Amino acid sequence: MRHPEVVLRTAEETRAWGERLGRLLRAGDLVVLTGELGAGKTTLTQGIAEGLGVRGPITSPTFVIARVHPSLVGGPALVHVDAYRLGGFAELDDLDLDASIEDSVTIVEWGHGLAEGLAEDRVEVTLSGQDERHVTLTASGPRWEDEQARELLDALADVP
């Protein structure tokens, strides 16, 4: 289900929106981030991490491919993956993300076309633009079919 587009005008708005999204996520959720270089994928992940209450700092895992950020508040860990340098699903599968996906929130930057098969319940976020970010969110899977969950995601369209 696709939700209303959001326009975020600053990095601070992007982090704040991500923090609100992070508060909605729970163990087993997969977030697939898509956008050009500089579109705000890592900035959004920083906000999500804040909302989850995990240990930072949150930086792009481009060269290490994946980082695990344990919870500071007794919630799920954040597994932050950058699939940009991966050659395909086989290399993503080699990371054994399915071993931790049920116990953590997994974010895959550059994951479109690769990561969707990792979890039935997922949120796909597409960011476009650099000065002004246009964000679309599409939720899939039984977790997001519940009316309350849909309403919570729709509420993200209200940018503070």
Side-chain angles (χ1 to χ4, degrees):
M1 170 168 288
R2 190 176 172 136
H3 296 271
E5 180 178 285
V6 176
V7 177
L8 304 170
R9 291 176 173 74
T10 65
E12 291 76 23
E13 281 186 10
T14 303
R15 273 189 211 90
W17 191 85
E19 184 174 351
R20 290 174 55 210
L21 175 59
R23 286 191 212 119
L24 301 179
L25 299 173
R26 64 182 186 208
D29 286 339
L30 170 66
V31 180
V32 179
L33 300 181
T34 302
E36 297 297 318
L37 285 171
K41 294 178 298 295
T42 300
T43 302
L44 180 65
T45 301
Q46 291 167 345
I48 292 170
E50 218 23 67
L52 288 171
V54 299
R55 185 175 70 211
I58 306 300
T59 58
S60 179
T62 300
F63 296 104
V64 296
I65 309 298
R67 283 196 175 97
V68 177
H69 299 276
S71 177
L72 298 172
V73 296
L78 170 65
V79 177
H80 184 198
V81 180
D82 187 327
Y84 184 76
R85 295 177 46 196
L86 298 180
F89 182 77
E91 288 186 29
L92 182 65
D93 191 47
D94 285 346
L95 297 176
D96 288 329
L97 296 175
D98 52 344
S100 64
I101 204 154
E102 289 183 18
D103 300 323
S104 60
V105 171
T106 303
I107 296 177
V108 182
E109 294 188 29
W110 302 97
H112 182 76
L114 287 175
E116 294 86 354
L118 291 172
E120 186 176 11
D121 294 318
R122 69 181 177 277
V123 174
E124 297 181 52
V125 180
T126 302
L127 299 104
S128 59
Q130 292 185 1
D131 296 329
E132 184 176 270
R133 294 176 175 106
H134 295 260
V135 180
T136 56
L137 183 146
T138 304
S140 305
R143 165 159 160 47
W144 302 109
E145 291 172 1
D146 173 80
E147 185 176 339
Q148 182 181 10
R150 286 194 314 264
E151 288 174 3
L152 289 171
L153 291 176
D154 282 344
L156 289 172
D158 302 325
V159 178

